[in-house]
C-alpha cells in the first residue's frame, strides 16, 4: 500500500473513528446480506459516509458527494436553482480563484467533464471526481477543494451572471420538439405532482431572475451536513478515506433550523386521462401509463423478490411485443417498463411507435397486455426470462473483481437516492435463485395483474398533425374493451448441431508470441490469422472480435452503397437455419452474442462470451460468414424505421450534424453521406443481399480472443471454425483506399435546420493525416486538440456563456494511410454568436501557430490524456482496440506499445510544429447550421445588435 494512504498513527485517526457512528445506516431495517467491503459511518453533524478499497483501475480514487436536493425542492421562483448552484460550485469556492479548481485538477490528471462533473436530478445533486494516480497529497487537496465548493461556493453576482449564460445555452441547445414533447408528456402523466412541472434545467424566466442573494439563500437552506452523503472508493485505505471526510466535513454546521421536506404529491386519478400533442415533422408515438403512488419501502429480501418478479413479468410481455413487431405488426416497436420515479410515482410505461393507424397499434398492444393479465404464462416462458436474468447476474459475479470503483460509488449513490441497499454479486445470485424458484405461473399472473393496474391511467398521442377525432377518439380507443392477443412465442427446437458444416478443420501453419505483448499470433493454412491473449484480467470472460473484409475500404468513394443498413439488419437477418427467434433460443441463458460494426479497414463481429460458451460462440460467428441467412422482415423493418424517423433529421442543429458532418468532412464521400428518402424507399431485401453477400464472403479474416482461456484449447476451436472456411479474397476498389477532405471555404458554407430560431451551430476543421507511419504526430494532435478545447471552453463558455459544450476533436484514422484525419472545432450556439465563435477559433489557431504553449498548459492537457491511457491500459478492451490488424502489420503492435511514451515525449515545440503544419487558413473548411430562412448576414446582424445592447 502506498505510504500516502497508510492510516495515520496519531490521535487524529482515533478521534475521527470515535466520532463516527451509525455504521450500518444504509442497511437500517434490511435483511439483505450486507456487502462487507463497504465501511459506513455518520459524523456527529449528520454527514453520512461510505468508503471501501478498490483497485480498478490501479491508483484511482473515486469521490461522490450527494446532496439531498434537486429540482423538486425548488419553489416556483427558484426553478433551476439546484442545477445552477451545481454549475456555480464547480467554478470554485470562497477560498480559490474563479476557475482555478479546474486547472488544479487538470494538473492532477483529471479530465474535465468526465473525471470531474456533477448531475442534478429531481431528487438529488451529485458531485463526481475520479482522481487518477491518487497520492496522499493530491487526494487531500482534492477533498479540500471539493468540500469548499460544496460548503462555500462562490455565489457572486458576476459568477451567477456568467453561469446563467451557460445554463441558458444548455437550455437553448436542448430546446426543440423532443423537449416540448417530453415536457408536455411529463405534465400530463404527473398532473397534480411537482414532477410534472419541475425539469432540473429550470425556465428562462426563473434563470433570468436568478440573483446571487436568492441562490445563496437556496444553498443555505438545502446544503446542510445532515443532507450530505460522501462516498469514496479507490486504491487506498478506507480508514484514511474516512479520516479525510471527518477532516473536511466534520466541522460543518447547518445554518438555522432544518427545512421542511417538500410534499412531492401523489398521482391525481381525477386528472385528464388522454393528451394529444401535435408536433410537425415528428413521427406518431403513443405512451400508455398505469400510475400508482410511490411508497417508501425498506429494502428487504421480500422487496427484492417483488422487484425481480415484476422484471420477469415485463420481460414476458416485451418478448411478445417484439415477436409481433418482427413478423410485421401494426407497430414498428413497442416496449413496456416499470419505474419508481423520483420518489413520486410507481409507473408502468408502454411506449409504442405505430405503423399506419395508431388505433390499431394501441389495440394490439393492449391485447398483448390483456393476455398477460388474463392467462398465466407457461413455466417454460418464465424460465426463459429467468435464464436471461440469471446469466446477467452470473456475468456480474464473475466480473466482480474487475468492477471499477467509479461504478461502485455511483451504484451506492443511486441506492441512497431510491432508498435501497447494495449487496454483493454473490448475494444477488443467491437471492435471485431462491426467487426464481417461486416464480410459478400463478405467481407471475398475479404479478402481471399488479404491474398493469394503476390508480390512474394516462395516454399520450404525439402526432405530426391533428388526428381525426382528436382526444375524444383517443379516449374512446382506450375505453374500448381490449381484445386478447396471443402473441406468445411458439416453442422452437434449435441447437448448434443444426448448423451446416463449416468445412474441414484448418491446418496451423504459424504460432508465435507477439514481441513485447502477452499475446500469441496464430495463422492457419486458409490465411485466417488470430491474436490470442490468455489472461485473467477479467476472470470468466472471453472477448471476441472477428475482423473480416475491408470495411469502408470495400466501397468506392463515389459508389452508391448500403453500409447504412448493416447495424441492425445484417445480424437480424439470421444465420444458416436460424432466424431471430431461433437465435434467441440458442443463446438463452448463455453468454453468446453477435454484434456488428464497420471499421475503416474491416467489418467486425463482436461478442462477450465465457470459456464454457466459447466453442458455440465461435461456431455462430463463423456460421454468419459461411452460411448467412437472408430473412426479409428485418430489412423491411429497417426501411420503415428509417422512413418513420426521416423528418427528424433536420429538426435541430444537432440532428443535422449527426446526419451530415462526417460526409461533409470527407468531401461528400458516399461512404459517409446519409441516404436520402428515395434511397431508403428503394431498399429491398434483394438489394440488401446483393450488397452484403460478397462482403460477408470477403477477406482477410483476423480473430481476436482476449480473456480467461485457461483450460480452453483455443487453437483447436479456431481451426474447427474460422480455420475451416474457404480462402477469401479482399474487396479493394482503387478509389476506396483514400479519403478526401472537404474543399477549402473562405466563408462558412450554410446548412439549415427546421428547429427553433434561437438555435444554430458552427463548425470549422483542418485536414491532418492518418495511418500508422506517424504515431507521435497523432498523439501530438490529441494534445493540440485538448489545448484548443481548453482555451475555447474558457473563452466561449466560462467567460462569455455563449455555449454549454464547445468541442475540439482530433481524428486520426489508422485504416487510411496518409488521409482521412482532421482537427474539428465546433459548438452549438445562438445565431448571434456565430461570428464570435469563428473569431475566437481563428484567434486560438493563430496563437497556437505563432507562439509556443507554456509548460503548465502543456502539462495540464497532456497529463489527463496520459492518465486516460494508463487507466484504460489495464483492460482487454483497450488492447483489443489498439491491436486491431496487428497480425498483418507489425507497426500496429509497435505503436500500441509506445503510446504513453509518445504522449510524454510531446513538447511545446511539437505542438507549435503541428499547428503550423495543419492549422493553415488556406486549407480550412467551415460550416454554419442556421434556422431555415436565415442568412449569415442575418446572424451577424443579430450579433452586432446583441453587442450594441450590452
Amino acid at each position: 500500500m502506498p505510504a500516502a494512504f497508510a492510516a495515520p498513527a496519531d490521535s487524529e485517526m482515533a478521534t475521527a473513528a470515535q466520532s463516527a457512528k451509525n455504521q450500518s445506516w444504509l442497511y437500517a431495517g434490511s435483511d439483505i446480506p450486507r456487502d462487507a467491503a463497504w465501511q459506513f459511518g455518520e459524523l456527529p453533524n449528520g454527514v453520512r459516509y461510505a468508503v471501501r478499497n478498490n483497485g480498478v483501475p490501479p491508483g484511482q480514487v473515486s469521490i461522490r458527494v450527494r446532496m439531498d436536493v434537486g429540482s423538486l425542492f425548488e419553489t416556483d421562483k427558484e426553478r433551476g436553482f439546484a442545477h445552477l448552484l451545481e454549475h456555480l460550485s464547480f467554478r470554485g469556492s470562497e477560498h480559490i480563484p474563479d476557475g482555478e479548481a479546474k486547472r488544479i485538477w487538470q494538473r492532477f490528471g483529471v479530465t474535465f467533464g468526465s473525471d470531474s462533473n456533477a448531475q442534478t436530478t429531481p431528487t438529488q445533486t451529485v458531485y463526481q471526481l475520479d482522481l487518477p494516480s491518487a497520492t496522499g497529497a493530491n487526494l487531500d487537496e482534492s477533498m479540500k477543494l471539493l468540500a469548499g465548493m460544496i460548503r462555500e461556493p462562490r455565489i457572486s453576482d458576476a459568477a451567477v451572471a456568467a453561469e446563467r449564460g451557460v445554463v441558458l445555452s444548455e437550455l437553448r441547445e436542448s430546446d426543440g420538439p423532443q423537449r416540448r414533447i417530453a415536457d408536455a408528456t411529463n405534465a400530463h402523466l404527473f398532473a397534480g405532482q411537482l414532477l410534472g412541472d419541475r425539469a432540473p434545467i429550470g425556465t428562462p424566466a426563473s434563470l433570468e431572475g436568478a440573483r446571487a442573494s436568492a441562490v445563496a439563500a437556496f444553498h443555505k437552506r438545502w446544503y446542510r451536513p445532515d443532507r450530505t452523503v460522501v462516498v469514496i472508493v479507490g486504491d487506498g485505505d478506507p480508514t484514511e478515506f474516512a479520516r479525510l471526510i471527518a477532516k473536511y466535513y466534520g466541522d460543518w454546521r447547518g445554518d438555522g433550523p432544518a427545512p421542511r421536506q417538500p410534499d412531492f404529491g401523489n398521482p391525481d386519478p381525477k386528472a385528464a386521462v388522454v393528451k394529444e400533442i401535435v408536433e410537425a415533422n415528428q413521427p406518431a408515438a403513443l405512451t400508455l401509463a398505469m400510475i400508482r403512488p410511490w411508497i417508501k419501502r425498506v429494502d428487504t429480501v421480500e422487496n427484492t423478490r417483488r422487484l425481480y418478479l415484476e422484471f420477469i413479468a415485463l420481460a414476458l410481455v416485451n418478448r411478445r411485443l417484439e415477436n409481433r413487431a418482427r413478423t410485421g405488426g401494426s407497430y414498428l416497436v413497442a416496449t413496456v417498463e416499470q419505474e419508481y420515479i423520483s420518489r413520486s410515482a410507481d409507473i408502468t410505461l408502454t411506449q409504442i411507435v405505430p405503423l399506419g393507424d395508431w388505433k390499431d397499434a394501441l389495440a394490439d398492444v393492449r391485447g398483448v397486455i390483456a393476455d398477460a393479465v388474463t392467462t398465466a404464462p407457461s413455466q417454460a416462458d418464465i424460465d426463459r426470462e429467468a435464464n436471461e436474468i440469471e446469466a446477467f447476474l452470473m456475468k456480474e459475479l464473475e466480473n466482480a473483481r474487475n468492477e471499477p470503483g467509479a461504478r461502485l460509488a455511483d451504484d451506492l449513490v443511486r441506492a441512497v437516492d431510491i432508498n435501497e441497499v447494495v449487496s454483493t454479486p454473490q448475494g444477488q445470485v443467491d437471492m435471485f435463485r431462491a426467487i426464481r424458484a417461486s416464480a410459478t405461473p400463478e405467481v407471475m399472473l398475479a404479478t402481471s395483474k399488479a404491474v398493469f393496474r394503476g390508480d390512474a391511467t394516462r395516454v399520450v398521442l404525439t402526432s405530426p398533425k391533428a388526428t381525426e377525432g382528436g382526444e375524444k377518439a383517443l379516449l374512446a380507443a382506450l375505453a374500448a374493451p381490449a381484445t386478447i392477443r396471443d402473441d406468445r412465442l411458439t416453442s422452437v427446437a434449435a441447437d448448434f448441431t443444426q448448423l451446416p458444416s463449416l468445412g474441414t478443420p484448418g491446418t496451423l501453419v504459424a504460432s508465435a508470441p507477439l514481441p513485447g505483448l502477452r499475446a500469441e499470433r496464430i495463422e492457419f493454412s486458409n490465411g485466417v490469422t488470430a491474436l490470442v491473449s490468455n489472461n485473467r484480467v477479467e476472470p470468466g470472460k472471453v472477448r471476441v472480435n472477428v475482423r473480416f473484409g475491408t470495411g469502408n475500404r470495400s466501397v468506392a468513394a463515389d459508389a452508391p452503397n448500403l453500409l447504412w443498413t448493416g447495424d441492425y439488419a445484417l445480424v437480424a437477418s439470421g444465420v444458416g437455419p436460424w432466424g431471430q427467434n431461433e437465435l434467441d433460443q440458442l443463446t438463452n441463458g448463455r453468454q453468446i452474442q453477435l454484434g456488428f460494426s464497420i471499421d475503416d479497414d474491416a467489418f467486425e463481429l463482436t461478442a462477450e462470451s465465457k470459456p464454457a460458451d466459447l466453442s458455440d460462440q465461435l461456431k455462430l460467428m463463423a456460421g454468419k460468414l459461411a452460411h448467412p441467412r437472408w430473412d426479409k422482415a428485418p430489412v423491411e423493418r429497417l426501411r420503415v424505421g428509417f422512413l418513420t424517423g426521416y423528418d427528424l433529421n433536420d429538426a435541430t442543429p444537432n440532428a443535422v450534424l449527426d446526419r451530415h458532418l462526417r460526409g461533409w468532412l470527407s468531401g461528400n464521400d458516399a461512404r459517409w453521406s446519409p441516404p436520402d428518402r428515395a434511397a431508403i424507399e428503394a431498399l429491398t431485401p434483394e438489394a440488401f443481399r446483393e450488397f452484403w453477400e460478397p462482403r460477408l464472403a470477403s477477406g482477410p479474416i483476423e480473430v481476436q480472443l482476449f480473456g480467461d482461456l485457461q483450460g480452453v484449447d483455443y487453437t483447436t476451436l479456431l481451426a474447427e471454425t474460422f480455420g475451416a472456411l474457404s480462402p477469401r479474397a479482399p474487396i479493394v476498389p482503387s478509389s476506396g483506399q483514400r479519403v478526401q477532405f472537404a474543399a477549402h471555404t473562405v466563408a462558412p458554407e450554410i446548412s439549415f435546420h427546421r428547429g427553433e430560431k434561437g438555435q444554430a451551430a458552427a463548425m470549422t476543421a483542418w485536414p491532418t493525416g492518418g495511418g500508422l507511419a506517424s504515431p507521435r504526430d497523432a498523439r501530438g494532435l490529441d494534445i493540440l486538440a485538448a489545448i484548443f478545447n481548453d482555451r475555447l471552453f474558457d473563452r466561449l463558455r466560462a467567460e462569455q456563456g455563449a455555449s454549454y459544450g464547445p468541442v475540439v476533436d482530433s481524428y486520426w484514422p489508422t485504416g487510411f494511410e496518409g488521409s482521412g484525419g482532421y482537427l474539428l472545432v465546433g459548438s452549438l450556439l445562438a445565431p448571434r454568436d456565430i461570428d464570435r465563435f469563428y473569431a475566437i477559433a481563428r484567434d486560438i489557431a493563430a496563437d497556437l501557430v505563432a507562439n509556443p504553449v507554456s509548460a503548465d498548459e502543456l502539462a495540464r492537457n497532456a497529463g489527463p490524456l496520459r492518465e486516460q491511457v494508463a487507466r484504460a491500459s489495464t483492460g482487454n478492451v483497450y488492447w483489443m482496440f489498439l491491436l486491431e490488424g496487428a497480425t498483418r502489420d507489425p507497426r500496429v503492435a509497435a505503436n500500441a506499445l509506445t503510446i504513453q511514451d509518445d504522449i510524454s515525449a510531446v513538447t511545446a515545440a511539437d505542438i507549435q510544429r503541428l499547428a503550423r503544419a495543419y492549422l493553415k487558413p488556406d486549407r480550412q473548411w467551415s460550416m454554419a447550421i442556421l434556422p431555415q430562412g436565415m442568412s449569415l448576414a442575418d446572424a451577424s446582424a443579430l450579433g452586432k445588435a446583441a453587442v450594441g445592447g450590452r
Side-chain angles (χ1 to χ4, degrees):
M1 178 175 293
F5 289 95
D10 54 25
S11 60
E12 181 184 12
M13 191 63 256
T15 302
Q18 291 168 4
S19 67
K21 59 179 181 179
N22 197 10
Q23 297 181 2
S24 298
W25 57 264
L26 186 70
Y27 294 91
S30 176
D31 58 353
I32 290 177
R34 247 183 96 152
D35 184 345
W38 285 102
Q39 297 178 25
F40 297 90
E42 182 177 336
L43 302 181
N45 61 358
V47 171
R48 293 174 293 167
Y49 65 82
V51 294
R52 72 182 285 169
N53 172 264
N54 174 275
V56 182
Q60 178 170 295
V61 173
S62 294
I63 306 166
R64 303 292 183 268
V65 181
R66 178 189 182 273
M67 302 307 303
D68 190 34
V69 56
S71 59
L72 296 184
F73 296 73
E74 301 162 350
T75 65
D76 284 342
K77 291 183 179 180
E78 294 172 334
R79 292 180 62 178
F81 276 26
H83 178 243
L84 177 61
L85 183 54
E86 166 216 311
H87 277 248
L88 288 165
S89 297
F90 258 97
R91 291 186 76 95
S93 73
E94 294 294 340
H95 306 290
I96 56 172
D98 188 31
E100 185 61 24
K102 176 170 77 78
R103 287 182 278 274
I104 292 172
W105 277 328
Q106 283 179 320
R107 296 182 188 110
F108 294 164
V110 170
T111 300
F112 183 79
S114 56
D115 293 331
S116 63
N117 210 333
Q119 181 185 35
T120 302
T121 74
T123 55
Q124 66 178 0
T125 305
V126 180
Y127 297 86
Q128 164 196 324
L129 177 66
D130 293 333
L131 185 65
S133 299
T135 66
N138 67 27
L139 178 58
D140 188 285
E141 181 69 11
S142 294
M143 287 290 288
K144 177 182 176 182
L145 288 174
L146 194 56
M149 290 160 49
I150 290 166
R151 294 175 56 174
E152 299 176 283
R154 184 182 298 274
I155 308 176
S156 64
D157 286 331
V160 170
E163 284 306 312
R164 179 193 296 117
V166 175
V167 176
L168 286 171
S169 294
E170 183 181 358
L171 179 60
R172 180 194 65 242
E173 292 167 14
S174 66
D175 198 10
Q178 293 297 315
R179 180 172 183 82
R180 288 195 296 272
I181 291 170
D183 287 347
T185 299
N186 281 340
H188 179 63
L189 296 183
F190 307 112
Q193 297 181 269
L194 288 178
L195 188 60
D197 193 33
R198 282 293 186 277
I201 192 71
T203 68
S206 62
L207 293 169
E208 291 286 4
R211 297 294 179 266
S213 58
V215 179
F218 185 86
H219 176 270
K220 174 182 175 182
R221 189 187 329 140
W222 295 111
Y223 275 57
R224 303 170 56 88
D226 53 299
R227 306 187 71 87
T228 306
V229 172
V230 184
V231 180
I232 307 181
V233 184
D235 198 357
D237 185 349
T239 309
E240 171 67 359
F241 298 158
R243 185 188 71 84
L244 289 171
I245 295 169
K247 178 179 179 179
Y248 289 111
Y249 292 88
D251 64 346
W252 187 16
R253 298 293 180 266
D255 192 348
R260 180 182 298 176
Q261 189 78 4
D263 181 1
F264 298 162
N266 285 320
D268 182 2
K270 297 180 180 179
V273 173
V274 300
K275 174 74 175 178
E276 181 179 35
I277 303 171
V278 178
E279 275 286 352
N281 305 313
Q282 298 298 295
L286 280 159
T287 298
L288 172 64
M290 292 82 168
I291 310 173
R292 299 163 291 274
W294 180 80
I295 300 172
K296 184 175 181 178
R297 294 182 171 94
V298 175
D299 194 14
T300 61
V301 172
E302 181 56 32
N303 185 58
T304 302
R305 177 179 181 274
R306 179 180 56 82
L307 293 174
Y308 273 128
L309 292 177
E310 288 174 350
F311 192 88
I312 295 173
L314 296 174
L316 287 163
V317 172
N318 276 321
R319 192 176 294 272
R320 296 168 192 174
L321 292 171
E322 173 63 13
N323 183 49
R324 180 67 176 170
R326 287 177 178 179
T327 55
S330 57
Y331 48 85
L332 179 67
V333 64
T335 59
V336 60
E337 60 182 331
Q338 190 269 343
E339 295 184 74
Y340 297 92
I341 300 180
S342 302
R343 304 182 217 156
S344 299
D346 169 7
I347 183 171
T348 303
L349 199 64
T350 305
Q351 307 276 12
I352 309 166
V353 179
L355 295 175
D357 192 338
W358 63 264
K359 291 189 282 297
D360 292 339
L362 180 60
D364 284 349
V365 171
R366 290 183 65 220
V368 172
I369 294 172
D371 179 46
V373 300
T374 303
T375 305
S378 69
Q379 191 64 54
D381 284 351
I382 297 169
D383 290 343
R384 179 175 55 230
E385 306 310 332
N387 288 342
E388 294 293 307
I389 298 172
E390 186 165 334
F392 171 80
L393 293 175
M394 286 300 301
K395 183 178 175 182
E396 292 287 294
L397 173 60
E398 291 163 354
N399 197 49
R401 68 172 240 186
N402 295 296
E403 197 68 49
R407 180 178 168 186
L408 290 169
D410 291 336
D411 286 349
L412 191 129
V413 167
R414 177 180 175 274
V416 174
D417 188 50
I418 63 177
N419 202 46
E420 290 187 359
V421 304
V422 292
S423 183
T424 64
Q426 183 65 62
Q428 287 292 333
V429 170
D430 292 343
M431 280 192 293
F432 181 73
R433 284 176 172 167
I435 290 165
R436 73 171 294 178
S438 71
T440 63
E442 294 74 21
V443 167
M444 293 314 306
L445 178 60
T447 302
S448 296
K449 289 179 177 179
V451 166
F452 289 105
R453 182 188 301 123
D455 292 24
T457 298
R458 305 271 194 270
V459 181
V460 177
L461 171 64
T462 303
S463 176
K465 59 183 180 180
T467 59
E468 183 179 354
E471 292 181 353
K472 289 184 178 179
L474 188 56
L475 191 60
L478 183 64
T483 301
I484 291 176
R485 289 199 59 92
D486 182 3
D487 282 327
R488 302 179 184 216
L489 272 67
T490 303
S491 178
V492 294
D495 64 71
F496 276 92
T497 64
Q498 298 165 342
L499 183 68
S501 172
L502 297 171
T504 303
T507 302
L508 181 68
V509 298
S511 175
L514 213 60
L517 293 162
R518 194 169 66 179
E520 176 186 6
R521 181 189 183 277
I522 295 172
E523 184 173 354
F524 294 95
S525 54
N526 63 351
V528 169
T529 58
L531 185 63
V532 182
S533 177
N534 180 3
N535 62 69
R536 295 274 293 171
V537 170
E538 299 172 291
K541 180 181 291 186
V542 181
R543 295 184 183 271
V544 187
N545 185 22
V546 178
R547 292 168 50 81
F548 68 94
T550 50
N552 286 320
R553 292 173 59 173
S554 72
V555 178
D558 58 352
N561 65 77
L562 294 181
L563 290 170
W564 53 275
T565 64
D567 281 352
Y568 168 74
L570 198 62
V571 170
S573 59
V575 177
W578 309 312
Q580 284 181 286
N581 287 346
E582 288 81 9
L583 288 172
D584 287 346
Q585 178 66 33
L586 278 170
T587 60
N588 180 246
R590 305 182 68 186
Q591 289 186 28
I592 298 177
Q593 303 171 347
L594 191 62
F596 175 77
S597 61
I598 303 173
D599 206 348
D600 286 333
D601 58 350
F603 301 105
E604 295 184 345
L605 296 175
T606 57
E608 285 185 21
S609 191
K610 64 180 183 180
D613 289 334
L614 184 60
S615 175
D616 286 343
Q617 177 68 74
L618 294 178
K619 289 176 185 176
L620 180 66
M621 299 172 101
K624 182 63 185 178
L625 300 185
H627 305 294
R629 183 181 173 105
W630 304 102
D631 285 349
K632 297 181 178 181
V635 179
E636 177 60 15
R637 191 180 185 187
L638 175 79
R639 186 185 73 85
V640 173
F642 267 82
L643 291 173
T644 299
Y646 190 83
D647 288 335
L648 299 176
N649 289 324
D650 59 0
T652 64
N654 238 343
V656 174
L657 290 171
D658 287 345
R659 179 170 169 79
H660 292 285
L661 181 58
R662 188 71 195 279
W664 290 335
L665 288 167
S666 62
N668 296 313
D669 190 308
R671 291 169 290 187
W672 295 285
S673 297
D676 58 20
R677 186 185 290 274
I680 298 169
E681 289 176 337
L683 177 65
T684 64
E686 292 73 25
F688 177 84
R689 179 172 182 172
E690 182 181 358
F691 178 81
W692 283 109
E693 192 164 31
R695 285 167 174 81
L696 286 174
S698 67
I701 294 176
E702 177 187 68
V703 183
Q704 292 181 309
L705 293 181
F706 279 55
D708 188 353
L709 294 166
Q710 291 186 19
V712 176
D713 185 359
Y714 51 81
T715 302
T716 297
L717 295 182
L718 288 168
E720 292 174 344
T721 52
F722 293 97
L725 302 180
S726 300
R728 292 160 166 250
I731 301 174
V732 284
S734 58
S735 67
Q737 308 314 301
R738 289 187 59 81
V739 183
Q740 301 300 316
F741 186 74
H744 167 61
T745 56
V746 177
E749 294 181 325
I750 304 298
S751 187
F752 298 101
H753 69 88
R754 290 189 292 175
E756 304 306 301
K757 295 298 183 183
Q759 293 179 332
M763 315 298 292
T764 193
W766 297 264
T768 56
L772 298 166
S774 303
R776 185 169 166 182
D777 279 2
R779 303 289 78 80
L781 283 167
D782 288 338
I783 299 172
L784 173 61
I787 293 169
F788 204 131
N789 188 75
D790 203 42
R791 295 186 182 186
L792 186 64
F793 178 93
D794 285 345
R795 294 182 60 178
L796 196 63
R797 170 175 162 157
E799 294 175 11
Q800 302 183 22
S803 171
Y804 173 65
V807 174
V808 182
D809 179 48
S810 174
Y811 177 64
W812 184 283
T814 58
F816 289 100
E817 195 67 50
S819 70
Y822 53 78
L823 191 141
L824 173 69
V825 182
S827 183
L828 299 175
L829 302 154
R832 66 173 182 268
D833 292 317
I834 293 285
D835 286 350
R836 192 184 340 181
F837 166 84
Y838 284 119
I840 292 173
R842 281 194 301 270
D843 185 48
I844 294 172
D847 185 72
L848 288 168
V849 169
N851 301 301
V853 300
S854 70
D856 179 64
E857 186 174 31
L858 177 62
R860 285 191 292 107
N861 287 280
L865 288 175
R866 191 166 52 247
E867 290 291 354
Q868 288 175 23
V869 171
R871 284 178 284 181
S873 65
T874 62
N876 281 328
V877 173
Y878 168 87
W879 289 107
M880 291 180 76
F881 173 75
L882 284 186
L883 295 174
E884 290 178 348
T887 63
R888 301 185 184 279
D889 190 330
R891 296 178 300 171
V892 172
N895 291 355
L897 288 169
T898 62
I899 186 168
Q900 291 195 60
D901 292 339
D902 289 341
I903 293 173
S904 297
V906 172
T907 65
D910 288 325
I911 298 299
Q912 188 173 23
R913 172 180 61 82
L914 292 168
R916 288 174 173 174
Y918 293 117
L919 302 185
K920 295 181 177 180
D922 62 351
R923 301 183 69 190
Q924 186 175 0
W925 167 88
S926 299
M927 171 71 75
I929 317 296
L930 297 175
Q932 191 76 44
M934 183 179 288
S935 67
L936 270 179
D938 295 333
S940 296
L942 291 173
K944 292 174 182 176
V947 172
R950 292 186 179 129

